[in-house]
Amino acid sequence: MMEEEELEFVEELEAVLQLTPDVQLAIEQVFPSQDPLDRADFNAVEYINTLFPTEQSLANIDEVVNKIRLKIRRLDDNIRTVVRGQTNVGQDGRQALEEAQKAIQQLFGKIKDIKDKAEKSEQMVKEITRDIKQLDHAKRHLTTSITTLNHLHMLAGGVDSLEAMTRRRQYGEVANLLQGVMNVLEHFHKYMGIPQIRQLSERVKAAQTELGQQILADFEEAFPSQGTKRPGGPSNVLRDACLVANILDPRIKQELIKKFIKQHLSEYLVLFQENQDVAWLDKIDRRYAWIKRQLVDYEEKYGRMFPREWNMTERIAVEFCHVTRTELAKIMRTRAKEIEVKLLLFAIQRTTNFEGFLAKRFSGCTLADGSLKKLESPPPSTNPFLEDEPTPEMEELAMEKGDLDQPKKPKAPDNPFHSIVSKCFEPHLYVYIESQDKNLGELIDRFVTDFKAQGPPKPNTDEGGAVLPSCADLFVYYKKCMVQCSQLSTGEPMIALTTIFQKYLREYAWKILSGNLPKTTSSSGGLTISSLLKEKEGSEVAKFTLEELCLICSILSTAEYCLATTQQLEEKLKEKVDVSLTERINLTGEMDTFSTVISSSIQLLVQDLDAACDPALTAMSKMQWQNVEHVGDQSPYVTSVILHIKQNVPIIRDNLASTRKYFTQFCIKFANSFIPKFITHLFKCKPISMVGAEQLLLDTHSLKMVLLDLPSIGSQVVRKAPASYTKIVVKGMTRAEMILKVVMAPHEPSVVFVDNYIKLLSDCNTETFQKILDMKGLRRSEQSGMLELFRQRLPTPPSGPEGSSSLSLLAPTPEQESSRIRKLEKLIKKRL
C-alpha cells in the first residue's frame, strides 16, 4: 500500500510539473543548464543507464547515491531559503503601493495650482492689451485719413494744373501729370458716392477728352490729309503729344496712327494708280523700291517723334503690304489675259524677296494689332529661301542618288510676313500650272526621242544595270517645280501640281519604261505560229540578245529608282502643302505602276531563260529511256540547260547588282516556272527502264545542284542562296527525285508499291499515279488493278478543313494544265 501511495504521489507531482513549451523555453533562456536533470524530457531509466553503463560500474553505486542525496539536500535548502524570503513580499508591496498613491495625489495638486495661476496670468494680459488694440485701431484710421486727405489735395491740385496745362498745350508736363492724376484717382474709386470726389473724377475725364480732341487737331494741322506735301519735320510739341496719347484712350492712339500712315501712303496711291504704266507686274520692283525710300525718309524725319513701342516703321510697311496686295489683285483681275508665266514668276520672286526683307527688318509684332486690317493667319512657312537650300548642283547630285531627304540645317524661324503680299497671285497660279503641264509633256517627248536616237544602254557587267539618265532629269525637274510652287502657294495650286506630277509619272512609266521593253515571240500561255514553225524546222527559240537583256535590267533598275524616289516625293509634297490638304496627296497608284513595270521586267527575264531551256527539256522527253544500257555522266540536255543558265544568269546578276532583292525575285520566279515544267516533261519520259530511271535520277540531282547554286553561278564571290529560294528548289526537285525513286521501285507486290508511292509522294491524284505506271511501261490491264488498289489504299480524308484541303489535291495541278497546253501545241504542229 505504501508503494502504491508513493507511485500515485509521483504521478501527481509529474502532472503538476508539466509545463508548456513556451514556459520551458523561457526558463532555459533565463537559467541555461547542461544538467540532464533539468531537461524537460528527462528519463530516469536513461539517466541511470548513463551512470551505470556496465555491471562493473555498479561497484560504486553507494558513492553515486550519496552524491544524489547531497544534491537533494542542497536543493531543499535553496527552496526553503526562497520560500522564507517570500514571506514578507506581500506586505512590502502593499506599502510601496500606498506610497505611490500619495505621491500621485501630491502631483495632481501641484498641477492644479499651476493651471490656476496660468488662467490668472492670461486674464491679466488680456486686460493690459485691450487698451493697446484700441490705440492701434485709432492710429490706423488716423493714418488712412491723413493719406486720403493728401491724395485728395494732390488730386484737386493736379486737376487744376492739368486743365491749365492743357489750355497752354504743355504736353510734356501733361504727360507726367496725367499719369499721376490717374494713379491717384484709382484710390478714390470706393468714394465715388461723395459728390466732391465724383465731381473731380468727371473733371479728369473731361480733361482727357479735351486732350484727345486737341492732339488730333494739332496732328491734323501739322499733317493735313489734303495734298501730298508734308512739313519739313516734326515739332517737340507733337512728340510730347504722342506721349500724352500713349496714356489716353487707346482709340486716340489708333486714330493718330491711322491718319499718319494714310497721309504717308497717299503719294503711293497716286503714283501707282491702276492706269499708270508703273503699276503693272513688269515694274513691280519700283513699288518695293519706293517703300524702302519712304521708310528711310520716315526714320530720318519722324523716327524720334513717335514712341519706339509704337513700331511706326513696321506699321507703315504692313499697311503698304495690305494696300499693294489689294491694288495688285485689282489690276490682275482687269488684265488677266496679259499675265504670262515668266512675268508672273518674276513678280512672285520679287514679292517673296521683299517679304523676306521685311522678315529680316521687322519682328511682325504689329500683325496681330486689331487697329489695322489683318491678313488671315498665314500657314506655316514652307519658303525654301528661309532654309539653307542646297545649290542646284547639290540638288541634281542628290536626285541622281535618289535622295530627296538629304539632311539639312535647321530651318530659320517662320516668316511672319509670308504671303502678306504674294497671296494675291494665288488665283492666277493656274497659268503656272498649265505651263508646267506643257513643259513636262515636252520633256517626256524629248525623253522618248532621245531614247530612240541613242538606242538601248550598252552592256554593263561591272557596276550593275545603269539607271536611265532621263529618270534623274525628270525628278530634278519635279524638285525644282515643287520648291518653286511652294514659294507661290501651299494650298490648292500644290494639289494641282501634284496631279500633273501623277500624270507624267504614269506617262514616263508607260512610254519610256514599259514602251521600250523588248517584245517576245512567245508568252507563258503558249507559242505563236512563227515560233512553232521555227521549232519544227529545228531552230532554237528566239532569245534576247545581250543588249536586250541589259536593257531589261536597266529598265528594271530605273523603275526601282522611280518607285523609291516617288515615295520620297510624296513625303516631300506632304511637308510642303498645308496640313489640311495632306490627305489629298497620294501617289500610291503611280508607285503601283512602277511596281508593275518591275514585275513585267522580271517576268520577261524569266520567260527568256525558261524558253531557252525548253528545247533541252523537249529533247529529254523524246529520248528512248528504255534503251539506256548504263549510267554515265549527265545527259546532253542537262549540259544544254546548264549552258543557258550560265549564259543568262551572270549577265542578269551583274546588271541587277544595285537591286539585289529583285535578282532574288528573278531566281524564285524562274525556279517556280522551270521545276514544274521539268516535272511535266519528266512524266513524258515513258517507258523507262531501271537504268534509264537511274540516269534520270542522276540528271535530276545535277539540275538540283545547279539550281541551288543559281544565285552565285559564274561569280567569283560565292554567296549563300536566300533561304526562301533554297526552300522552293529543294521542295520541287525533291518531288522529281521521289517520282523517279517510285519508278525505280518494283511493282510487285502491288500493295507494297502502292504504299511506297503514297509514302514518298503524298499525292492522292489518280492521274499522277497513272503517269507513274505509264513511265514504268505497265500494260493497261495491269494498270487497272493497280489503280483500283490505289483507290482502296488511299487514306480516308477527315471531315472539316483538313478534308477539304485533301480533296483539293484532286483538282488539276499546274503540271496537268501545262500538259494539256502541250497536247494542243502538238496538234497544231501536226496540222501545220
Side-chain angles (χ1 to χ4, degrees):
M1 291 296 291
M2 291 296 294
E3 293 179 355
E4 292 178 357
E5 291 177 358
E6 290 179 358
L7 291 174
E8 290 177 358
F9 176 75
V10 170
E11 290 176 356
E12 291 176 0
L13 185 62
E14 289 180 351
V16 172
L17 294 178
Q18 289 295 330
L19 303 177
T20 62
D22 295 338
V23 175
Q24 188 65 39
L25 180 62
I27 292 174
E28 291 178 356
Q29 292 177 353
V30 176
F31 302 105
S33 174
Q34 300 296 329
D35 193 343
L37 296 174
D38 293 333
R39 294 179 58 186
D41 56 347
F42 174 74
N43 191 320
V45 176
E46 291 181 359
Y47 182 68
I48 293 172
N49 290 334
T50 304
L51 294 176
F52 306 104
T54 61
E55 293 182 1
Q56 290 77 9
S57 60
L58 293 174
N60 58 350
I61 187 171
D62 295 333
E63 182 181 352
V64 173
V65 170
N66 292 332
K67 289 182 179 180
I68 291 175
R69 287 176 178 172
L70 179 61
K71 191 171 185 178
I72 291 172
R73 284 197 296 271
R74 289 177 180 173
L75 288 173
D76 289 340
D77 293 341
N78 291 336
I79 292 171
R80 190 179 300 109
T81 303
V82 171
V83 171
R84 289 175 180 175
Q86 294 296 323
T87 302
N88 299 324
V89 169
Q91 184 178 355
D92 294 342
R94 285 191 295 273
Q95 185 178 357
L97 180 61
E98 291 174 356
E99 292 177 355
Q101 290 175 346
K102 291 179 181 180
I104 291 172
Q105 290 176 356
Q106 292 175 1
L107 180 61
F108 180 77
K110 291 180 180 180
I111 292 173
K112 187 177 180 181
D113 293 341
I114 293 172
K115 183 179 179 183
D116 293 340
K117 291 179 180 179
E119 291 177 352
K120 292 178 180 179
S121 299
E122 183 179 0
Q123 186 65 29
M124 187 182 299
V125 170
K126 288 182 178 179
E127 292 175 356
I128 294 172
T129 57
R130 185 181 297 112
D131 297 335
I132 297 176
K133 288 183 179 179
Q134 291 177 354
L135 292 174
D136 286 341
H137 290 311
K139 179 183 177 182
R140 187 180 305 113
H141 296 327
L142 183 59
T143 303
T144 304
S145 301
I146 294 172
T147 304
T148 304
L149 287 174
N150 287 334
H151 286 164
L152 181 59
H153 177 71
M154 293 169 57
L155 180 61
V159 172
D160 293 338
S161 301
L162 182 63
E163 292 173 345
M165 292 177 183
T166 301
R167 289 191 294 269
R168 293 194 298 269
R169 285 183 166 77
Q170 295 176 348
Y171 296 129
E173 291 79 2
V174 168
N176 297 325
L177 180 60
L178 179 60
Q179 186 63 53
V181 169
M182 293 177 65
N183 292 337
V184 172
L185 188 59
E186 290 179 358
H187 295 284
F188 290 93
H189 282 325
K190 54 186 176 181
Y191 304 119
M192 286 299 171
I194 302 173
Q196 291 81 358
I197 301 298
R198 185 168 58 251
Q199 183 180 4
L200 287 174
S201 176
E202 291 173 354
R203 289 176 62 188
V204 171
K205 291 180 180 178
Q208 289 178 331
T209 305
E210 183 180 355
L211 275 172
Q213 295 174 353
Q214 189 170 297
I215 291 173
L216 289 175
D218 291 344
F219 266 87
E220 182 67 26
E221 182 181 353
F223 303 101
S225 58
Q226 300 297 329
T228 58
K229 291 186 178 182
R230 295 190 293 270
S235 65
N236 293 332
V237 175
L238 295 180
R239 182 178 60 191
D240 294 338
C242 291
L243 298 176
V244 176
N246 219 14
I247 304 172
L248 296 175
D249 190 341
R251 287 176 294 182
I252 303 298
K253 170 185 169 183
Q254 294 172 7
E255 187 69 20
L256 283 178
I257 293 173
K258 182 178 179 182
K259 287 187 175 182
F260 180 82
I261 293 177
K262 181 179 179 182
Q263 195 275 341
H264 210 73
L265 294 179
S266 58
E267 180 182 351
Y268 172 71
L269 294 174
V270 174
L271 291 176
F272 294 91
Q273 286 183 356
E274 186 177 348
N275 56 358
Q276 297 295 325
D277 184 54
V278 293
W280 188 228
L281 300 180
D282 58 345
K283 296 181 177 59
I284 197 170
D285 280 341
R286 298 190 181 182
R287 293 177 179 266
Y288 304 132
W290 182 89
I291 188 59
K292 289 177 182 179
R293 290 195 303 269
Q294 293 301 313
L295 292 178
V296 172
D297 180 65
Y298 166 81
E299 290 289 348
E300 293 177 353
K301 293 183 178 181
Y302 307 104
R304 297 182 179 180
M305 185 175 74
F306 295 99
R308 182 178 297 274
E309 63 270 17
W310 286 19
N311 299 300
M312 286 299 295
T313 310
E314 181 177 330
R315 292 179 185 276
I316 294 172
V318 170
E319 184 64 17
F320 167 83
C321 292
H322 293 325
V323 173
T324 302
R325 186 179 71 249
T326 304
E327 293 297 319
L328 286 176
K330 187 189 303 182
I331 193 172
M332 283 191 291
R333 282 196 302 269
T334 306
R335 304 172 62 177
K337 295 182 180 180
E338 302 179 30
I339 300 176
E340 298 177 354
V341 176
K342 291 183 178 180
L343 179 62
L344 181 65
L345 293 180
F346 167 79
I348 293 174
Q349 183 63 47
R350 293 296 187 270
T351 302
T352 53
N353 289 346
F354 176 70
E355 292 171 351
F357 162 77
L358 294 180
K360 294 177 181 178
R361 179 71 174 78
F362 305 115
S363 64
C365 61
T366 63
L367 292 176
D369 192 343
S371 62
L372 296 176
K373 291 185 296 180
K374 288 202 302 182
L375 183 66
E376 31 180 271
S377 230
S381 174
T382 55
N383 190 343
F385 292 103
L386 297 180
E387 303 176 8
D388 188 8
E389 282 289 326
T391 60
E393 293 77 7
M394 292 173 63
E395 286 183 358
E396 184 172 355
L397 179 61
M399 290 296 295
E400 289 177 357
K401 294 181 179 180
D403 184 11
L404 280 170
D405 288 325
Q406 60 177 349
K408 296 180 181 178
K409 295 182 180 179
K411 292 176 64 174
D414 289 342
N415 181 359
F417 297 93
H418 175 71
S419 294
I420 191 171
V421 179
S422 57
K423 191 174 182 64
C424 65
F425 298 109
E426 188 166 325
H428 305 278
L429 286 180
Y430 68 89
V431 177
Y432 171 79
I433 301 300
E434 291 174 356
S435 172
Q436 296 307 322
D437 188 2
K438 179 181 178 182
N439 293 342
L440 283 169
E442 294 174 354
L443 187 64
I444 295 294
D445 293 340
R446 180 167 64 82
F447 289 161
V448 174
T449 304
D450 292 347
F451 190 91
K452 292 180 180 178
Q454 297 174 4
K458 296 180 180 180
N460 182 9
T461 58
D462 296 330
E463 301 178 357
V467 176
L468 298 179
S470 59
C471 179
D473 295 341
L474 178 66
F475 282 101
V476 167
Y477 190 82
Y478 273 10
K479 177 69 178 296
K480 177 183 175 183
C481 292
M482 179 180 64
V483 172
Q484 196 174 48
C485 188
S486 67
Q487 300 172 18
L488 311 181
S489 172
T490 57
E492 289 295 335
M494 283 292 288
I495 302 298
L497 184 67
T498 302
T499 304
I500 300 298
F501 285 174
Q502 291 175 301
K503 172 184 175 182
Y504 289 102
L505 282 174
R506 291 191 296 269
E507 286 201 15
Y508 185 85
W510 297 121
K511 289 185 178 180
I512 308 298
L513 301 181
S514 293
N516 288 305
L517 284 172
K519 302 298 186 292
T520 58
T521 56
S522 63
S523 62
S524 58
L527 301 175
T528 61
I529 295 178
S530 60
S531 64
L532 290 172
L533 288 173
K534 288 182 180 180
E535 187 177 351
K536 184 178 181 181
E537 293 169 1
S539 61
E540 293 187 357
V541 178
K543 288 180 58 180
F544 289 140
T545 63
L546 176 61
E547 290 77 11
E548 289 175 329
L549 287 176
C550 293
L551 173 60
I552 295 174
C553 293
S554 180
I555 290 175
L556 193 154
S557 299
T558 304
E560 192 269 341
Y561 169 87
C562 291
L563 177 62
T565 313
T566 301
Q567 185 177 2
Q568 297 171 5
L569 177 65
E570 179 182 4
E571 295 172 359
K572 279 295 180 183
L573 285 169
K574 288 183 177 180
E575 290 178 9
K576 297 289 185 182
V577 79
D578 290 343
V579 178
S580 59
L581 300 176
T582 51
E583 294 182 357
R584 294 175 58 184
I585 294 181
N586 186 358
L587 303 184
T588 305
E590 289 64 41
M591 288 187 274
D592 292 342
T593 301
F594 289 117
S595 298
T596 303
V597 174
I598 293 173
S599 300
S600 300
S601 302
I602 294 175
Q603 190 61 35
L604 279 178
L605 296 174
V606 171
Q607 288 179 7
D608 179 61
L609 183 55
D610 206 16
C613 297
D614 278 347
L617 296 179
T618 303
M620 176 190 77
S621 61
K622 291 181 179 180
M623 288 182 63
Q624 301 297 322
W625 292 102
Q626 75 275 19
N627 298 331
V628 177
E629 298 178 354
H630 61 276
V631 179
D633 294 335
Q634 63 186 25
S635 302
Y637 76 89
V638 177
T639 305
S640 176
V641 171
I642 295 175
L643 178 63
H644 287 303
I645 290 176
K646 288 185 176 180
Q647 286 177 350
N648 281 31
V649 173
I651 297 173
I652 296 172
R653 181 183 59 245
D654 294 340
N655 280 276
L656 294 181
S658 59
T659 55
R660 189 75 186 173
K661 63 178 180 179
Y662 294 116
F663 174 69
T664 302
Q665 288 188 20
F666 159 75
C667 295
I668 292 174
K669 286 190 176 182
F670 174 71
N672 283 328
S673 175
F674 176 79
I675 294 175
K677 187 177 293 187
F678 172 74
I679 293 175
T680 300
H681 282 78
L682 196 62
F683 282 131
K684 295 180 181 180
C685 299
K686 55 185 178 181
I688 303 176
S689 64
M690 179 66 69
V691 178
E694 292 178 357
Q695 180 63 49
L696 275 172
L697 186 61
L698 175 64
D699 296 341
T700 301
H701 182 72
S702 299
L703 286 175
K704 179 180 178 180
M705 299 310 296
V706 170
L707 289 175
L708 287 174
D709 192 43
L710 181 70
S712 59
I713 193 168
S715 174
Q716 297 178 353
V717 180
V718 179
R719 293 184 179 179
K720 185 179 180 181
S724 56
Y725 170 76
T726 303
K727 182 178 179 181
I728 293 172
V729 173
V730 170
K731 181 179 179 181
M733 295 306 290
T734 300
R735 174 177 169 79
E737 291 175 342
M738 293 299 104
I739 291 172
L740 292 173
K741 288 181 180 180
V742 172
V743 173
M744 292 169 60
H747 61 278
E748 295 293 343
S750 303
V751 176
V752 176
F753 176 77
V754 171
D755 291 343
N756 191 34
Y757 168 83
I758 295 174
K759 179 181 178 181
L760 291 177
L761 288 181
S762 301
D763 192 343
C764 299
N765 196 325
T766 55
E767 292 185 10
T768 304
F769 182 70
Q770 187 169 4
K771 289 178 182 180
I772 298 291
L773 299 180
D774 291 339
M775 293 175 70
K776 291 183 69 66
L778 296 180
R779 295 187 298 273
R780 291 295 177 182
S781 58
E782 295 175 325
Q783 290 185 14
S784 59
M786 285 281 194
L787 288 171
E788 185 63 30
L789 181 61
F790 172 73
R791 294 187 183 96
Q792 295 175 1
R793 303 291 294 180
L794 284 177
T796 304
S799 59
E802 295 180 359
S804 61
S805 63
S806 62
L807 289 174
S808 66
L809 295 172
L810 301 177
T813 61
E815 296 88 353
Q816 298 167 9
E817 293 293 340
S818 179
S819 176
R820 294 173 183 173
I821 294 172
R822 293 300 179 186
K823 289 179 182 178
L824 179 60
E825 293 172 357
K826 285 185 178 180
L827 179 62
I828 296 174
K829 289 180 186 177
K830 290 179 182 178
R831 293 187 178 181
L832 289 173

